[in-house]
Amino acid sequence: MRQLTTPREGQRLLTAVASAEETALLTEVVELRARNEQLGRALASRAVIDQARGMVMALAPCSSERAWDLLVDVSQHCNIKLRDVAAALVATTKDETLPEPIQRELRRALRRLHLADQR
């Protein structure tokens, strides 16, 4: 009659249980790190978007909400992510040229905003 588990098999089972717990912990750590990185990117994007909002508010005296809507409008018409539109606008403060599609849509959006204010 054979033993259910030999000492060696018992050790492997204990190692497997420990490994399963370690694997679960490692999985959780990896997920938390990914979430942390994602939040970091979101915060960085948010700062740039807020800077661009301030620039729009200075360019076309308007509220923060209207500046947000204008940036969203430019983003959608150019089919460029909002954070990338914002980054391009903020980069102009460092003597970088605003890409032509964004320039064109920003002019149009500012014109629409100005016309809406005249009504």
Side-chain angles (χ1 to χ4, degrees):
M1 190 167 178
R2 184 177 184 274
Q3 270 186 307
L4 288 177
T5 57
T6 65
R8 177 176 265 162
E9 289 172 333
Q11 185 59 37
R12 270 192 261 146
L13 283 173
L14 287 174
T15 303
V17 169
S19 293
E21 289 173 3
E22 289 172 358
T23 301
L25 285 173
L26 286 173
T27 301
E28 186 176 356
V29 167
V30 168
E31 289 171 358
L32 288 172
R33 284 184 179 168
R35 190 176 306 161
N36 190 32
E37 288 176 20
Q38 182 182 15
L39 288 171
R41 284 191 304 270
L43 283 173
S45 292
R46 187 62 189 209
V48 170
I49 291 169
D50 286 343
Q51 289 172 357
R53 271 173 106 166
M55 292 174 71
V56 170
M57 291 167 64
L59 280 171
C62 65
S63 69
S64 179
E65 294 80 22
R66 302 258 333 246
W68 172 266
D69 292 341
L70 186 138
L71 288 170
V72 168
D73 190 43
V74 170
S75 169
Q76 289 175 343
H77 280 90
C78 292
N79 197 25
I80 298 173
K81 290 184 182 292
L82 178 61
R83 68 175 177 258
D84 295 336
V85 169
L89 188 58
V90 170
T92 63
T93 64
K94 297 175 183 148
D95 295 328
E96 290 190 30
T97 305
L98 195 61
E100 181 57 38
I102 297 174
Q103 247 181 52
R104 184 176 50 250
E105 286 305 324
L106 183 58
R107 274 195 300 268
R108 289 177 183 165
L110 288 168
R111 224 176 285 125
R112 285 191 297 272
L113 180 67
H114 182 70
L115 289 172
D117 285 345
Q118 287 181 339
R119 295 178 186 168

